[in-house]
Structures are given as structure tokens and as C-alpha cells.
Amino acid sequence: MQEYYVDSPAQLLDLCERLRASSWLALDTEFMREKTYYAQFCLLQIANEELIACVDPLALNLDPLLDLIYDPAIVKVMHSARQDLELFYDLRQALPQPLFDTQIAATVLGYGDQVGYGALVQGMFGVELDKSHTRTDWSQRPLDPKQLRYAADDVRYLVQIYLRQRTELEHNGRLGWLADDFAELTDEHKYINSPLSAWRRIRQANTLKGVQLAVLRALAAWREERAKAVNKPRKWILSDDVMLELARHLPLDAERLSKVRGMEAQTLKRSGPDIIALIAQSRQLPKEQWPQLDVPLRLDIRQEALADALMAVVRLRGMQNAVSPATLTTRKELESLVMGQQNVAVMHGWRGALVGRDLLALLQGKLSLSVKHGELDIASADQ
């Protein structure tokens, strides 16, 4: 395969011409976000069966290449694509589709759940990738040959993984299984960071109640908007721990605000009045406007045991079909089934065919579990 480092407009246009006839493209990105809200796009790796290119977005306007990547006639191949897709969404407020994620494909081909790229390369080809540049500052220039080689490897083997996975999936009739999973991953609504929903991502929010949650919601929304506006990490504006303390103690003046654990003098000076105003406004909200925590399902001991039995069926069917049990369903879904809720993912599509119908039949008393020759067995209850 030919390899290119592309950092001039002429090289970029030439690359686009070379890639234009591709039916699929392998993609990866390198980015930095330690000091910013939005990821700083530092390198784009792209490949087909004939070439690999490392493209410098710090030196170029990538629009010609992005037009190609966003072409719906071209399949985009990525591994564990979520963070790369977040970067693409920030670029164009849209996602490149259609997608093929090799990590998701690996779960139905016997490689386990959430297998890393390096582990997958090792498992499929016996190649151990260089890990020495894992913590590289990709924003620094120039990039040396070893860095570019490391970056190129991220798509060099992705090409081979995709070709082999696609062949295996077509051979065993599982290619169609993944369509819904890929569509869910490219649901653009999941990449919109709504300020009013930001509080739900804060750990230990469940330690608050009532008006405290209203204050947390207001503070988290304010922080989200502020972080976007100045392009700085959320925690640089206000840390989660400080927001939780503010919501617990509800300070309404500068003196009390200054005594909140973790409150920095610079934050107090810059944003103290805004924080106090947000707390005061939130405390005035009527009770019906306070946010509500999701109430977890509470199963009794018998229901817990039934969920355990359902999980045993999932694990058995997963083993029999070389599919990761975590790909089939979650404990939370199984608990929902026990509580009578059937509109869950495991009851639909290929998951429903592989294990969902068995789970429902077991709940209805039409299947039974037993042990034969030291192994779990599923049989009709009439046998």
C-alpha cells in the first residue's frame, strides 16, 4: 500500500481523486481535548485497499475530503467509532453515514465485548502494535516518521479487519444483524449536548433531591453554555464536586459562596454573581418544575432469581452462537422483562430471534432449565 502525508491543498485534491471511486473507506482520527471543550482535530487517517494517507487538518481546509467522507454511497469503516463521530458531528453538525464499526462486528464474530483495536489486530493477525505513541501530543508539528507510522497503523489493519469481517458476516448470514446497531450509533440526536440535560451526566446527582436538583440543573446548563462559548473544558468553568456542594448548601450571598468547599477565588470573582442568581432563581421554581431522577426498578428476591435465570439463558445462547452476552442484552433489560415490560432491544430484530423469544417463553412457563452432563440445558417445559 502506498503511504502519504498530506499537508498541502494540491496533495489533498489529488488524494480525493484517488479515493473517489472507493465503495468504502477506513477512517481514524487523532485529536486533543485536554484544554478545550471541542476536540482539537490534529490528524485524519484514511485508507482503502490501495493507499493510506495521514492528512493534516491543522494545515488544510478539509472540506473537499469531508465531502467525500460524507458521501452516502461510501461506507465509512471505523473501530469504536463514538469519539470519532463526535468529532465529525462538531465539524458539520451531521454524521458521515453509512457506518461499519469493527468493534461492534467483533461482538457477533466471537471476539468478545468492546474489544480494543490492538487486541483485535493481535487476535486476527498475530501482530502486536506499537504503543509508544499512545500519549503523543498530536497538535505539535512537525510529526516525525515514527508518529506517522503509528498513526497509519490505525487504518492499515482496519482495512484488513473490515474485509475479513465482512466476508465472515456474509458467510454466516450475520451481516444484516448489525444494521440496527450501526444506525443507532449514527443517530445524530445522541451527539447533541443539550445544556438542560447536562445535569444527568453528573455522578452522584442521585444524592440530591427536590429543589437541589433544580439548582444542579441550572448550574450544569450554565456551565455547558459557558464552556462552549469559551471553548474550555467543563471542569475549568466549575467542577462537578463544586456544583454538587452548591446544590446541597444553596448559598445566596458571596460570603456563603466563598465557604463552599472547592470554590476557587478566581471563579468566585469572575462568576460569583451569576452563580448566586442561578441558585436564587432555581429556588423560586414551583415544585412541579423540579427535575426528577429516573427511579430504578426494585425487584424482590424472587424476581432477582428470575432475572438470574434469564441471564443464564442469555449466556448460554451467546456461547452457542459465539456472540458476546453483553451485546445481546443488559441486566437492566432483563429486569424490565421480569417486571412485564417487553419493549426492550433484546425482543427485537436478530437479538429477538437469537434469545429474546426464549426469554419470553421461559417467563411464560413454556421453557425450562435443567442440568445435563454438568451443563445448562434449555428444553420445552412439556418434555
Side-chain angles (χ1 to χ4, degrees):
M1 298 174 71
Q2 293 179 299
E3 297 187 29
Y4 303 89
Y5 178 59
V6 177
D7 63 351
S8 75
Q11 290 174 318
L12 183 66
L13 292 177
D14 180 66
L15 175 65
C16 290
E17 286 304 313
R18 290 173 179 267
L19 296 175
R20 198 168 303 281
S22 302
S23 59
W24 56 267
L25 293 170
L27 298 170
D28 190 45
T29 65
E30 305 294 348
F31 56 86
M32 305 288 292
R33 70 183 325 157
E34 287 82 355
K35 298 179 181 180
T36 58
Y37 177 90
Y38 296 103
Q40 182 184 9
F41 194 4
C42 298
L43 198 67
L44 171 65
Q45 302 98 289
I46 189 166
N48 60 15
E49 289 186 86
E50 298 176 355
L51 65 87
I52 298 173
C54 292
V55 184
D56 188 352
L58 300 181
L60 296 167
N61 180 338
L62 294 188
D63 281 345
L65 184 56
L66 290 175
D67 289 343
L68 197 62
I69 291 172
Y70 278 78
D71 185 341
I74 299 176
V75 175
K76 273 60 70 171
V77 181
M78 304 182 200
H79 184 87
S80 186
R82 178 64 192 238
Q83 288 190 322
D84 298 311
L85 291 175
E86 287 177 359
L87 179 61
F88 283 118
Y89 184 82
D90 287 342
L91 288 174
R92 290 199 165 185
Q93 285 70 59
L95 294 174
Q97 300 184 48
L99 174 75
F100 185 102
D101 189 313
T102 56
Q103 185 181 68
I104 293 175
T107 64
V108 299
L109 291 172
Y111 289 95
D113 183 51
Q114 294 186 335
V115 61
Y117 177 71
L120 191 56
V121 171
Q122 176 75 43
M124 294 182 72
F125 308 114
V127 175
E128 185 172 353
L129 295 178
D130 177 18
K131 299 178 182 179
S132 61
H133 294 285
T134 303
R135 303 300 298 174
T136 285
D137 183 347
W138 293 101
S139 67
Q140 296 296 315
R141 294 295 184 270
L143 296 172
D144 65 42
K146 290 183 179 179
Q147 289 175 305
L148 292 173
R149 175 75 182 185
Y150 171 92
D153 280 347
D154 284 342
V155 288
R156 186 188 319 281
Y157 297 99
L158 189 57
V159 168
Q160 300 176 46
I161 291 170
Y162 169 65
L163 293 174
R164 182 179 294 188
Q165 285 185 338
R166 189 181 65 183
T167 298
E168 291 183 24
L169 290 167
E170 289 173 344
H171 177 73
N172 60 26
R174 295 185 177 184
L175 186 59
W177 285 13
L178 301 175
D180 289 343
D181 298 74
F182 295 158
E184 182 178 1
L185 187 56
T186 53
D187 179 358
E188 294 178 356
H189 292 93
K190 296 184 176 181
Y191 295 82
I192 301 172
N193 288 325
S194 169
L196 288 177
S197 300
W199 70 276
R200 294 186 177 277
R201 296 193 296 271
I202 299 174
R203 293 181 180 180
Q204 298 186 21
N206 60 355
T207 63
L208 305 178
K209 60 183 179 181
V211 73
Q212 294 174 329
L213 287 172
V215 171
L216 182 67
R217 179 180 62 187
L219 290 171
W222 170 81
R223 182 182 71 168
E224 194 77 15
E225 292 170 342
R226 177 68 178 164
K228 287 181 179 180
V230 299
N231 194 25
K232 297 297 181 184
R234 297 177 182 91
K235 63 183 179 181
W236 287 21
I237 308 300
L238 205 61
S239 73
D240 286 3
D241 288 342
V242 170
M243 285 200 299
L244 289 166
E245 287 296 301
L246 290 169
R248 286 192 186 100
H249 299 293
L250 307 175
L252 289 177
D253 57 57
E255 181 181 355
R256 293 180 183 178
L257 187 63
S258 68
K259 294 178 181 178
V260 170
R261 184 176 181 179
M263 176 62 68
E264 297 180 356
Q266 185 178 3
T267 303
L268 185 63
K269 180 179 179 181
R270 181 184 62 236
S271 304
D274 291 336
I275 293 171
I276 291 171
L278 285 168
I279 293 173
Q281 292 167 9
S282 299
R283 291 185 65 169
Q284 297 301 313
L285 288 175
K287 188 174 182 179
E288 56 269 21
Q289 293 183 25
W290 296 348
Q292 299 293 320
L293 291 168
D294 295 329
V295 179
L297 295 174
R298 295 189 181 277
L299 278 63
D300 60 30
I301 294 177
R302 293 180 179 83
Q303 291 169 326
E304 288 282 0
L306 186 52
D308 290 339
L310 296 181
M311 182 57 76
V313 173
V314 170
R315 289 173 176 160
L316 180 61
R317 290 297 188 234
M319 179 189 69
Q320 292 170 340
N321 293 277
V323 176
S324 166
T327 302
L328 290 171
T329 190
T330 63
R331 175 76 183 196
K332 185 176 180 180
E333 280 194 350
L334 296 182
E335 291 175 354
S336 296
L337 281 175
V338 169
M339 298 293 284
Q341 302 173 22
Q342 295 183 16
N343 188 26
V344 292
V346 72
M347 299 304 299
H348 303 293
W350 66 271
R351 291 178 175 84
L354 203 65
V355 70
R357 295 170 190 169
D358 285 343
L359 296 175
L360 185 58
L362 184 65
L363 288 172
Q364 293 172 342
K366 298 177 182 178
L367 289 182
S368 65
L369 300 179
S370 62
V371 177
K372 291 185 178 180
H373 309 296
E375 294 184 358
L376 184 67
D377 183 68
I378 304 172
S380 170
D382 297 330
Q383 295 181 1

